[in-house]
Amino acid sequence: MTSQVEPAAPDSGTGHQPGQAAGEPPETPEQPGHKAVQRLERVIIRFAGDSGDGMQLTGDRFTSETASFGNDLSTLPNFPAEIRAPAGTLPGVSSFQLHFADHDILTPGDRPDVLVAMNPAALKANVGDLPPGAEIIVNTDEFTSRAMAKVGYDASPLEDGSLESFRVHPVPLTTLTVEALKEFGLSRKDAGRSKNMFALGLLSWMYSRPTQGTEDFLRTKFAKRPQIAQANIAAFRAGWNFGETTEDFATSYQVAPAASAFPPGTYRNISGNLALSYGLITASQQADLPLFLGSYPITPASDILHELSRHKNFGVRTFQAEDEIAAIGAALGAAFGGSLGVTTTSGPGVALKSETIGLAVTLELPLLVVDIQRGGPSTGLPTKTEQADLLQAMFGRNGEAPVPVVAAATPAGCFDAALEAVRIALVHRTPVFLLSDGYLANGSEPWRIPEVADLPDLRVQFATAPNHTLDDGTEVFWPYKRDERTLARPWAVPGTPGLEHRIGGIEKQDGSGNISYDPANHDHMVRTRQAKIDRIAVPDVAVDDPGAAARTLVLGWGSTYGPITAAVRRIRRAGGHIAQAHLRHLNPFPANLGQVLKAYDRVIVPEMNLGQLAALLRARYLVDIHSLTQVTGLPFKAEQLASAIKEASDAH
Amino acid sequence: MPTEALTLVPRAESRQSAKDFKSDQEVRWCPGCGDYAVLAAVQGFMPELGLARENIVFLSGIGCSSRFPYYMNTYGMHSIHGRAPAIATGLAASRRDLSVWVVTGDGDALSIGGNHLIHALRRNVNLKILLFNNRIYGLTKGQYSPTSEAGKITKSTPMGSLDSPFNPVSLALGAEASFVARTIDSDRKHLTEVLRAAAAHPGTALVEIYQNCNIFNDGAFEALKDRRQAQEAVIRLEHGRPIRFGLPWAEEDGGDGLGSQGVVRDPATGDLKVIDLAEAGGAEGVLVHDAHAASPTNAFALSRLADPDTLHRTPIGVFRDIRRPVYDDLMADQLERAVESQGKGDLAALLAGNDTWTVRG
């Protein structure tokens, strides 16, 4: 059974909105000269503008201040593949959504409580996602008849009543910014560029965000152009002051730190790609092996190449190859030489690397292949998210070429997932797939910084001496003489005397590694390579089933963890019983997975593909899976997913 | 023979012989294949380098010649079609203590792996690439290759091939190669001399080896091998020597006993051309070969003298041998500089970053 997740009706919002005080009663100190301050549990803000309006930067800064304030948060950058799409058009709209709360949250939120729309296109592209009562801050300077006509507004939406279910704040952001910067002697165009900082200042006032971090950031970013730094800071402060003084904004809000949501520790905000990069450097340090990254730029994986390139003082070698094939080839060559070989890419790159992954399978060398999945097929949706490379990772090679697959579930979780993938590669001498996706890569959340002393020891033993005695008593090195427990072969690196050996893509005799076309040996080798992967010890999958009352299990993998967990919470809050489990290991599956699946009457698997995990589970365990799918290039929305899960659960 | 290119590679503790470089594997090329001669020459030459055998690696792609690593008693990898230069780049760039050799063929290097070849050359990774050119696909049983002469009749081109061939030396020079040479499988002395020069070169060295496939393209280089024809067909390039070839210009004819043909610059076109020295009345103006010239112009012009169909007037020897920064050294240098400027990586500091907050229990 497969069903598609339908968008929910627009009026079924249940999120807390500004104005709807949640938790404690609002504090409204009505002192003269002070505005009302209202407490909220959580807020979802979306900044939207042209690709060139600096919305991602604005969102990043707001996130940073929110993180340092101690809220739990989750972000969703959403931008077009074009670097500067035609100005003022719908395809050119870039947005950044941030959900922050005084408690632990799992997703960037379904529907924004506040939309900042820098132009008519940004309004038009985003207004459909807003629940009634949402606040909209619009830059009225951009609402010219030409700009409105460009996106199909016959009349001004600010005047025709179409926004009457929202609370609209018309603000001439550009004019106010230019006015604030008049002492800087900038052209109107240049001064107007700082309007995103004005908007940031206004929102920072509205939500009582700290400001010092942003001012420091601007000083550092524009250290070489102090005038630009000062202008941006002035715009930022002007935005703040505008909020405080203008009567249009009667209330500001407070969202308390989410202290109880976090275990004690030191935290920072981190995106998936940054966490993954740190995971790779950490793995290299813990394995005491130099890191070699072979990569070819591709969205949304390039940031890992950029990040690792900044850390050469950790002995990290980054190689920007001529193509995807050379990128993995160089990583494999480095692995042959005793480095921790890594290649980072997205789906189209994986397709090109397939043959080399197959070579790594038969060479039985450690190698990490990181796939930051995006919408496919072909070029697809480069900047949007999808989980449709699972079967490619599992099977996308010629011959029987099993590869372990590990999938990260959250942005911060990319760190641990990288360590785990490297552990498997090193211990089992195999290429390993690490799957992330565009949502995890660019999304961010708080991360408890681990103590270095608590990190796993990943050190490996290279072969140093002959491992086999021939009939005539000669001591020799056999490159394919295996560890009895893991079936891994020895890793003998060039430079080790006496262990000179040749390996290659042709089938080889088990043990000696010499070329062999013997039918029985090939059968043995194919089965041995499979057995080696099957034997990898992975932790049992944990099931969250409070009271053990559920008859339905929701099982996910990868970045759907946040939306699924949020949806399950909604169902439970409404009195429903539902069990939840999430897979980090896709190959091999946890040993208890079969039992877990059979323990429930219904198993629902939500995925951002057309049912790839569901297909694997059905084939492997002969369990009927209800597959819930969505391929919009965006993550599931918790509310829609909750409805779909409930419907699927009730339908049986 | 310690050279600048190999200063980081450990030396052998004792004298080596060709036998030390023969693996225990049975050589499985067709009887009479030119690859045997190259293998023997390489095994015979290796002891001269005096390197620790365990620090030598032979990597290859796919094709007849790519079986080469199995027969060398060193570290080796027989990889996949066309990708050996990429794999070798990762190995050489991360292990400067290794002497890394790539064995490839005309299909492997110039067809499926053309991209990796040109990028290895431009980067100047410390690799020695031996390109066995037999102008045919042997392992797949006789289709034309990217170096086959135009109009070649093969199984896949019964009416003749439509492609113009690559000239590998021209291609390598165009790809900014710092060392380019050509030699012939059957001329062991010349082959060894070229290998010696390649091994001594810091950076990527491309050695094109004309190699006879006696099954699918027998006699492809006969014009260059036949003693009588070769005098007219082969131009031996030697650094610092005038570029002369052909039958000797006899002293009784007023000559100097050296080749009667010479390579000169045509003042009208600026290109190189061959002249008969007796007709020209002397050897003045004959180009003196300069393999170390900063400009690749003459090397390229020399590579164009050969007739692509008949191979008439084929220069052999070292076309170009210049010094420029080696990729592996540059990469290592950046790592050292990063430590100097930022200090050795501190994992705890990296993970913490600059923007943290603390939750107390």
Coordinates of all heavy atoms in Angstrom, one line a residue, chain A residues 64 67 262 264-268 282 311-314 317-319 322-323 325 329-330 333 337 356 493-497 499-506 514-515, chain B residues 25 54 69-70 72-78 80 83 86-87 90-91 93 95 115-116 119 123 327 331 334 343 345-347 350-353 355-359 361:
Chain A
S64 N 21.9 32.6 14.6 CA 23.0 32.7 15.5 C 22.7 33.4 16.8 O 23.0 32.9 17.9 CB 24.1 33.5 14.8 OG 25.4 32.9 15.0
A67 N 20.4 31.1 18.7 CA 21.2 29.9 19.4 C 21.9 30.4 20.6 O 21.8 29.8 21.7 CB 22.2 29.4 18.3
F262 N 17.6 20.8 27.1 CA 18.9 20.4 26.8 C 19.6 19.7 28.0 O 19.6 20.3 29.1 CB 19.8 21.6 26.4 CG 19.3 22.2 25.1 CD1 18.8 23.5 25.1 CD2 19.3 21.5 23.9 CE1 18.3 24.1 23.9 CE2 18.9 22.1 22.7 CZ 18.4 23.4 22.7
P264 N 22.8 19.1 30.4 CA 23.9 20.0 30.6 C 25.0 19.8 29.7 O 25.3 18.7 29.2 CB 24.3 19.6 32.1 CG 23.2 18.9 32.6 CD 22.5 18.2 31.5
G265 N 25.7 20.9 29.3 CA 26.8 20.8 28.4 C 27.0 22.2 27.7 O 26.3 23.1 27.9
T266 N 28.0 22.2 26.9 CA 28.3 23.4 26.1 C 27.8 23.2 24.7 O 28.0 22.1 24.1 CB 29.8 23.7 26.1 OG1 30.3 23.8 27.4 CG2 30.1 25.0 25.3
Y267 N 27.0 24.2 24.2 CA 26.3 24.0 22.9 C 26.8 25.0 21.9 O 27.3 26.1 22.3 CB 24.8 24.2 23.1 CG 24.2 23.0 23.8 CD1 24.3 22.9 25.2 CD2 23.5 22.1 23.1 CE1 23.7 21.8 25.8 CE2 22.9 21.0 23.7 CZ 23.0 20.8 25.1 OH 22.5 19.8 25.7
R268 N 26.6 24.7 20.7 CA 26.8 25.7 19.6 C 25.7 25.3 18.5 O 25.1 24.2 18.6 CB 28.1 25.6 19.0 CG 28.4 24.2 18.3 CD 29.8 24.2 17.7 NE 29.9 25.0 16.5 CZ 31.0 25.2 15.8 NH1 32.1 24.7 16.2 NH2 31.0 25.9 14.7
T282 N 37.4 14.8 12.8 CA 37.5 14.1 14.1 C 37.8 12.6 13.8 O 38.7 12.0 14.5 CB 36.2 14.2 14.9 OG1 35.9 15.6 15.1 CG2 36.2 13.5 16.2
H311 N 41.1 23.5 6.9 CA 41.7 22.9 8.1 C 42.9 22.1 7.7 O 43.1 21.0 8.3 CB 40.6 22.1 8.8 CG 39.5 22.9 9.3 ND1 39.6 23.9 10.3 CD2 38.2 23.0 8.8 CE1 38.4 24.5 10.4 NE2 37.6 24.0 9.6
K312 N 43.8 22.6 6.9 CA 45.0 21.9 6.5 C 45.9 21.7 7.7 O 46.8 20.8 7.6 CB 45.7 22.6 5.4 CG 44.9 22.7 4.1 CD 45.7 23.3 3.0 CE 44.8 23.8 1.8 NZ 44.2 22.7 1.0
N313 N 45.7 22.5 8.7 CA 46.6 22.3 9.9 C 46.3 21.1 10.7 O 47.0 20.7 11.6 CB 46.6 23.6 10.8 CG 45.2 23.9 11.3 OD1 44.2 23.5 10.7 ND2 45.1 24.4 12.5
F314 N 45.2 20.4 10.3 CA 45.0 19.1 10.8 C 45.5 18.0 9.9 O 45.2 16.8 10.0 CB 43.4 18.8 11.0 CG 42.8 19.5 12.1 CD1 42.4 20.8 12.0 CD2 42.7 18.9 13.4 CE1 41.8 21.5 13.1 CE2 42.1 19.5 14.5 CZ 41.7 20.8 14.3
R317 N 44.2 16.9 3.5 CA 44.5 17.2 2.1 C 43.2 17.2 1.4 O 42.4 16.3 1.4 CB 45.4 16.1 1.5 CG 46.8 16.1 1.9 CD 47.7 15.0 1.3 NE 49.1 15.2 1.5 CZ 49.7 14.8 2.7 NH1 49.0 14.3 3.6 NH2 51.0 15.0 2.8
T318 N 43.0 18.3 0.7 CA 41.7 18.4 -0.1 C 42.2 18.6 -1.6 O 43.0 19.4 -1.9 CB 40.9 19.6 0.3 OG1 41.6 20.8 0.2 CG2 40.3 19.4 1.7
F319 N 41.5 17.8 -2.4 CA 41.9 17.7 -3.8 C 40.6 18.0 -4.6 O 39.7 17.2 -4.6 CB 42.5 16.3 -4.1 CG 42.7 16.0 -5.6 CD1 43.7 16.8 -6.3 CD2 42.0 15.0 -6.2 CE1 43.9 16.5 -7.6 CE2 42.3 14.8 -7.6 CZ 43.2 15.5 -8.3
E322 N 39.3 16.9 -11.4 CA 38.8 17.3 -12.7 C 37.4 16.8 -12.9 O 36.7 17.4 -13.8 CB 39.8 16.9 -13.8 CG 40.0 15.4 -14.0 CD 41.2 14.9 -13.1 OE1 41.5 15.6 -12.2 OE2 41.7 13.8 -13.5
D323 N 37.0 15.8 -12.2 CA 35.6 15.3 -12.4 C 35.3 14.4 -11.2 O 36.2 14.1 -10.3 CB 35.4 14.6 -13.7 CG 36.3 13.4 -14.0 OD1 36.7 12.8 -13.0 OD2 36.6 13.1 -15.1
I325 N 34.8 11.3 -11.1 CA 35.5 10.0 -11.2 C 36.9 10.1 -10.6 O 37.4 9.3 -9.8 CB 35.5 9.4 -12.6 CG1 34.1 9.3 -13.1 CG2 36.3 8.2 -12.7 CD1 34.0 8.9 -14.6
G329 N 38.6 8.5 -7.4 CA 39.8 7.7 -7.8 C 41.0 8.2 -6.9 O 41.7 7.3 -6.3
A330 N 41.2 9.5 -6.7 CA 42.3 10.0 -5.9 C 42.1 9.6 -4.5 O 43.0 9.2 -3.8 CB 42.3 11.5 -6.0
G333 N 43.1 6.0 -4.2 CA 44.6 6.0 -4.3 C 45.2 6.3 -3.0 O 46.2 5.7 -2.5
G337 N 47.4 4.1 0.0 CA 48.6 4.6 0.6 C 48.5 4.8 2.1 O 49.4 5.3 2.7
T356 N 34.1 3.1 -9.7 CA 35.2 3.1 -8.7 C 34.8 2.6 -7.4 O 35.6 2.0 -6.7 CB 35.8 4.6 -8.6 OG1 36.0 5.1 -9.9 CG2 37.1 4.6 -7.8
V493 N 50.3 -1.1 3.6 CA 50.5 0.1 2.8 C 51.9 0.1 2.1 O 52.8 -0.4 2.7 CB 50.2 1.4 3.6 CG1 48.8 1.4 4.2 CG2 51.2 1.5 4.7
P494 N 52.0 0.7 0.9 CA 53.3 0.8 0.3 C 54.3 1.4 1.3 O 53.9 2.3 2.0 CB 53.0 1.7 -0.9 CG 51.6 1.5 -1.2 CD 50.9 1.2 0.1
G495 N 55.5 0.9 1.2 CA 56.5 1.4 2.1 C 56.8 0.4 3.2 O 57.8 0.5 3.9
T496 N 55.9 -0.7 3.3 CA 56.2 -1.7 4.3 C 57.0 -2.8 3.6 O 56.5 -3.5 2.7 CB 54.8 -2.3 4.7 OG1 53.9 -1.2 5.0 CG2 55.0 -3.2 6.0
P497 N 58.2 -3.0 4.1 CA 59.1 -4.0 3.4 C 58.6 -5.4 3.5 O 58.0 -5.8 4.6 CB 60.4 -3.9 4.1 CG 60.2 -3.1 5.3 CD 58.9 -2.3 5.2
L499 N 56.1 -6.8 2.2 CA 54.6 -7.1 1.9 C 54.2 -6.6 0.5 O 53.0 -6.4 0.3 CB 53.8 -6.4 3.0 CG 54.1 -6.6 4.5 CD1 53.0 -6.1 5.4 CD2 54.3 -8.1 4.7
E500 N 55.2 -6.4 -0.4 CA 54.8 -6.0 -1.7 C 53.8 -6.9 -2.3 O 53.9 -8.2 -2.2 CB 56.1 -6.0 -2.6 CG 57.1 -5.0 -2.2 CD 58.1 -5.5 -1.2 OE1 57.9 -6.6 -0.6 OE2 59.1 -4.8 -0.9
H501 N 52.7 -6.4 -2.8 CA 51.6 -7.2 -3.4 C 50.9 -6.4 -4.4 O 51.0 -5.2 -4.5 CB 50.7 -7.6 -2.3 CG 49.9 -6.5 -1.6 ND1 50.5 -5.7 -0.6 CD2 48.7 -6.0 -1.8 CE1 49.6 -4.8 -0.3 NE2 48.5 -5.0 -1.0
R502 N 50.1 -7.1 -5.2 CA 49.4 -6.5 -6.3 C 47.9 -6.8 -6.1 O 47.5 -7.9 -5.8 CB 49.8 -7.0 -7.7 CG 51.0 -6.4 -8.3 CD 52.3 -6.6 -7.6 NE 52.6 -8.0 -7.4 CZ 53.6 -8.5 -6.6 NH1 54.3 -7.7 -5.8 NH2 53.8 -9.8 -6.4
I503 N 47.1 -5.7 -6.2 CA 45.6 -5.9 -6.1 C 45.0 -5.3 -7.4 O 45.6 -4.5 -8.0 CB 45.0 -5.3 -4.9 CG1 45.4 -3.8 -4.8 CG2 45.5 -6.0 -3.6 CD1 44.8 -3.1 -3.6
G504 N 43.8 -5.7 -7.6 CA 43.2 -5.2 -8.9 C 41.7 -5.5 -9.0 O 41.1 -6.2 -8.1
G505 N 41.1 -5.1 -10.0 CA 39.7 -5.3 -10.2 C 39.3 -6.6 -10.7 O 38.1 -7.0 -10.7
I506 N 40.3 -7.4 -11.2 CA 40.0 -8.8 -11.7 C 39.7 -9.6 -10.5 O 40.3 -9.4 -9.5 CB 41.1 -9.3 -12.6 CG1 41.4 -8.4 -13.8 CG2 40.9 -10.7 -13.0 CD1 42.5 -8.9 -14.7
N514 N 46.0 -13.6 -6.0 CA 46.4 -13.8 -7.4 C 45.2 -13.9 -8.3 O 44.1 -14.3 -7.9 CB 47.2 -15.0 -7.6 CG 48.6 -14.9 -6.9 OD1 49.1 -13.8 -6.8 ND2 49.1 -16.1 -6.5
I515 N 45.3 -13.4 -9.5 CA 44.2 -13.5 -10.5 C 43.6 -14.9 -10.6 O 44.4 -15.9 -10.6 CB 44.7 -13.0 -11.9 CG1 45.0 -11.6 -11.9 CG2 43.6 -13.4 -12.9 CD1 45.5 -11.0 -13.2
Chain B
Q25 N 54.3 -14.2 -10.7 CA 53.2 -14.4 -11.6 C 53.6 -14.7 -13.0 O 54.5 -14.1 -13.6 CB 52.2 -13.2 -11.6 CG 51.6 -12.9 -10.3 CD 50.7 -14.1 -9.8 OE1 49.7 -14.4 -10.3 NE2 51.2 -14.7 -8.7
E54 N 59.9 -1.6 -1.7 CA 58.6 -1.5 -1.1 C 58.0 0.0 -1.3 O 56.9 0.2 -1.0 CB 58.6 -1.9 0.4 CG 59.5 -1.0 1.3 CD 60.9 -1.6 1.4 OE1 61.3 -2.4 0.5 OE2 61.7 -1.2 2.3
P69 N 51.4 -4.3 -13.8 CA 51.8 -4.3 -12.3 C 51.8 -5.7 -11.8 O 52.6 -5.9 -10.8 CB 50.6 -3.5 -11.7 CG 50.1 -2.6 -12.8 CD 50.3 -3.4 -14.1
Y70 N 51.0 -6.6 -12.3 CA 51.0 -8.0 -11.8 C 52.4 -8.6 -11.9 O 52.7 -9.6 -11.2 CB 50.0 -8.9 -12.5 CG 48.6 -8.6 -12.1 CD1 47.7 -8.1 -13.1 CD2 48.1 -8.7 -10.8 CE1 46.4 -7.8 -12.8 CE2 46.8 -8.5 -10.5 CZ 45.9 -8.0 -11.5 OH 44.6 -7.8 -11.2
M72 N 55.4 -7.0 -11.7 CA 56.4 -6.3 -11.0 C 56.4 -6.6 -9.5 O 55.3 -6.5 -8.9 CB 56.2 -4.8 -11.2 CG 56.4 -4.2 -12.6 SD 58.1 -4.4 -13.2 CE 59.0 -3.4 -12.1
N73 N 57.5 -7.0 -9.0 CA 57.5 -7.4 -7.6 C 57.6 -6.1 -6.7 O 58.6 -5.9 -6.0 CB 58.6 -8.4 -7.3 CG 58.5 -8.9 -5.9 OD1 57.4 -8.8 -5.2 ND2 59.6 -9.5 -5.4
T74 N 56.6 -5.2 -6.9 CA 56.6 -4.0 -6.1 C 55.1 -3.9 -5.6 O 54.4 -4.9 -5.8 CB 56.8 -2.8 -7.0 OG1 55.8 -2.7 -8.0 CG2 58.2 -2.9 -7.7
Y75 N 54.7 -2.8 -4.9 CA 53.3 -2.6 -4.7 C 52.7 -2.3 -6.0 O 53.3 -1.7 -6.9 CB 53.1 -1.5 -3.7 CG 53.4 -2.0 -2.2 CD1 54.6 -2.0 -1.7 CD2 52.3 -2.5 -1.5 CE1 54.9 -2.4 -0.4 CE2 52.5 -3.0 -0.2 CZ 53.8 -2.9 0.3 OH 54.0 -3.4 1.6
G76 N 51.4 -2.7 -6.2 CA 50.8 -2.5 -7.5 C 49.3 -2.5 -7.4 O 48.7 -3.1 -6.5
M77 N 48.7 -1.8 -8.3 CA 47.2 -1.8 -8.5 C 46.8 -1.8 -9.9 O 47.2 -1.0 -10.7 CB 46.6 -0.7 -7.7 CG 45.0 -0.8 -7.7 SD 44.2 0.8 -7.4 CE 44.6 1.0 -5.7
H78 N 46.0 -2.8 -10.3 CA 45.4 -2.9 -11.6 C 44.0 -2.4 -11.5 O 43.1 -3.0 -10.9 CB 45.4 -4.4 -12.0 CG 44.8 -4.6 -13.4 ND1 44.0 -5.7 -13.6 CD2 44.8 -3.9 -14.5 CE1 43.6 -5.7 -14.9 NE2 44.0 -4.7 -15.4
I80 N 40.8 0.5 -12.9 CA 39.7 0.4 -13.9 C 40.1 1.3 -15.1 O 41.0 2.2 -15.0 CB 38.4 0.8 -13.3 CG1 38.5 2.0 -12.4 CG2 37.8 -0.4 -12.5 CD1 37.2 2.5 -11.8
R83 N 41.4 5.3 -15.4 CA 41.4 6.1 -14.1 C 42.7 6.0 -13.4 O 42.9 6.7 -12.4 CB 40.3 5.6 -13.2 CG 39.0 5.3 -13.8 CD 38.4 6.5 -14.6 NE 37.3 6.2 -15.4 CZ 36.8 6.9 -16.4 NH1 37.4 8.0 -16.7 NH2 35.7 6.5 -17.0
A86 N 44.3 9.2 -12.1 CA 43.5 9.9 -11.0 C 43.9 9.1 -9.7 O 44.1 9.8 -8.6 CB 42.0 9.8 -11.3
I87 N 43.9 7.8 -9.7 CA 44.2 7.1 -8.5 C 45.6 7.3 -8.1 O 45.9 7.5 -6.9 CB 43.9 5.6 -8.8 CG1 42.4 5.3 -9.1 CG2 44.4 4.7 -7.6 CD1 42.1 3.9 -9.6
G90 N 46.1 10.6 -6.2 CA 45.8 10.6 -4.8 C 46.9 9.9 -4.0 O 47.3 10.4 -2.9
L91 N 47.5 8.9 -4.6 CA 48.6 8.2 -3.9 C 49.8 9.0 -3.8 O 50.4 9.2 -2.7 CB 48.9 6.9 -4.6 CG 49.9 6.0 -3.9 CD1 49.5 5.6 -2.5 CD2 50.2 4.8 -4.8
A93 N 50.1 12.3 -4.2 CA 50.0 13.5 -3.5 C 50.0 13.3 -2.0 O 50.2 14.2 -1.2 CB 48.7 14.2 -3.9
R95 N 51.6 10.6 -0.5 CA 52.8 9.8 -0.1 C 54.0 10.2 -0.9 O 54.3 9.6 -1.9 CB 52.5 8.3 -0.3 CG 51.5 7.7 0.7 CD 52.0 7.6 2.1 NE 53.3 6.8 2.2 CZ 53.3 5.5 2.3 NH1 52.2 4.8 2.4 NH2 54.5 4.9 2.4
N115 N 40.7 12.6 -19.9 CA 40.6 13.8 -19.0 C 41.6 13.6 -17.9 O 42.2 14.6 -17.5 CB 39.1 13.8 -18.4 CG 38.8 15.1 -17.9 OD1 39.3 16.2 -18.4 ND2 37.9 15.1 -16.9
H116 N 41.7 12.4 -17.3 CA 42.6 12.3 -16.2 C 44.1 12.5 -16.6 O 44.9 13.1 -15.9 CB 42.5 10.9 -15.6 CG 41.1 10.6 -15.2 ND1 40.3 11.4 -14.5 CD2 40.3 9.5 -15.6 CE1 39.0 10.9 -14.4 NE2 39.0 9.8 -15.0
H119 N 44.8 16.3 -17.0 CA 44.9 17.0 -15.7 C 46.0 16.6 -14.9 O 46.6 17.4 -14.1 CB 43.5 16.8 -15.0 CG 42.4 17.6 -15.7 ND1 42.3 19.0 -15.4 CD2 41.5 17.3 -16.6 CE1 41.2 19.4 -16.2 NE2 40.8 18.4 -16.9
R123 N 48.8 19.4 -13.7 CA 49.1 19.6 -12.3 C 50.6 19.3 -11.9 O 51.1 19.8 -10.9 CB 48.2 18.6 -11.4 CG 46.8 18.9 -11.4 CD 46.1 18.1 -10.3 NE 44.7 18.4 -10.3 CZ 43.7 17.7 -10.9 NH1 44.1 16.5 -11.4 NH2 42.5 18.0 -11.0
Y327 N 53.1 19.2 -7.9 CA 51.8 19.3 -7.2 C 52.0 18.8 -5.7 O 51.5 19.4 -4.8 CB 50.7 18.5 -7.9 CG 49.4 18.7 -7.3 CD1 48.6 19.7 -7.7 CD2 48.9 17.8 -6.4 CE1 47.3 19.9 -7.2 CE2 47.6 17.9 -5.9 CZ 46.8 19.0 -6.3 OH 45.6 19.1 -5.7
M331 N 51.3 20.8 -2.3 CA 50.3 20.4 -1.3 C 50.9 20.2 0.1 O 50.3 20.7 1.1 CB 49.6 19.1 -1.8 CG 48.4 18.7 -1.0 SD 47.6 17.2 -1.6 CE 46.1 17.8 -2.3
Q334 N 51.5 23.6 1.6 CA 50.4 24.2 2.2 C 50.0 23.7 3.6 O 49.7 24.4 4.5 CB 49.2 24.1 1.3 CG 49.2 25.0 0.1 CD 47.8 25.2 -0.6 OE1 46.9 24.4 -0.3 NE2 47.7 26.2 -1.4
G343 N 48.9 27.0 13.8 CA 49.2 26.0 14.8 C 48.7 24.7 14.4 O 47.8 24.6 13.6
G345 N 46.5 21.5 14.4 CA 45.1 21.4 14.7 C 44.7 21.0 16.1 O 45.3 20.1 16.6
D346 N 43.8 21.8 16.7 CA 43.4 21.5 18.1 C 41.9 21.1 18.0 O 41.0 21.9 17.7 CB 43.6 22.7 19.0 CG 43.0 22.5 20.4 OD1 42.2 21.6 20.6 OD2 43.3 23.3 21.2
L347 N 41.6 19.8 18.1 CA 40.3 19.3 17.9 C 39.2 19.9 18.8 O 38.2 20.3 18.3 CB 40.3 17.7 18.0 CG 39.0 17.0 17.5 CD1 38.7 17.3 16.1 CD2 39.1 15.5 17.7
L350 N 38.4 23.3 17.6 CA 37.7 23.3 16.4 C 36.2 23.0 16.7 O 35.3 23.7 16.2 CB 38.2 22.2 15.4 CG 37.4 22.0 14.2 CD1 37.7 23.1 13.2 CD2 37.7 20.7 13.5
L351 N 36.0 22.0 17.4 CA 34.6 21.6 17.7 C 33.8 22.7 18.4 O 32.6 22.9 18.2 CB 34.5 20.3 18.4 CG 35.2 19.1 17.7 CD1 35.0 17.8 18.6 CD2 34.6 18.9 16.3
A352 N 34.5 23.4 19.3 CA 33.8 24.4 20.1 C 33.5 25.6 19.3 O 32.4 26.2 19.5 CB 34.7 24.7 21.4
G353 N 34.4 26.0 18.4 CA 34.1 27.2 17.7 C 34.1 28.4 18.6 O 34.6 28.4 19.7
D355 N 31.2 30.5 19.2 CA 29.9 31.0 19.5 C 29.2 29.9 20.3 O 28.4 29.1 19.7 CB 29.1 31.2 18.2 CG 28.4 32.6 18.2 OD1 28.4 33.2 19.3 OD2 27.9 33.0 17.1
T356 N 29.4 29.8 21.6 CA 28.8 28.7 22.4 C 28.0 29.2 23.5 O 28.0 30.4 23.9 CB 29.9 27.8 23.0 OG1 30.7 28.6 23.9 CG2 30.8 27.2 21.9
W357 N 27.1 28.4 24.1 CA 26.4 28.7 25.3 C 26.4 27.4 26.2 O 26.6 26.3 25.7 CB 25.0 29.2 25.1 CG 24.1 28.3 24.5 CD1 23.1 27.5 25.2 CD2 23.9 27.9 23.1 NE1 22.4 26.8 24.3 CE2 22.8 27.0 23.1 CE3 24.5 28.3 21.9 CZ2 22.4 26.4 21.9 CZ3 24.1 27.8 20.7 CH2 23.0 26.8 20.7
T358 N 26.2 27.6 27.4 CA 26.4 26.5 28.4 C 25.0 26.3 29.1 O 24.4 27.2 29.5 CB 27.5 26.8 29.4 OG1 28.7 26.9 28.6 CG2 27.7 25.6 30.3
V359 N 24.6 25.0 29.1 CA 23.5 24.6 29.9 C 24.0 23.9 31.2 O 24.7 22.9 31.1 CB 22.5 23.7 29.1 CG1 21.4 23.2 30.0 CG2 22.0 24.4 27.8
G361 N 23.5 21.8 34.7 CA 22.6 20.8 35.2 C 22.0 21.2 36.5 O 22.3 22.2 37.1

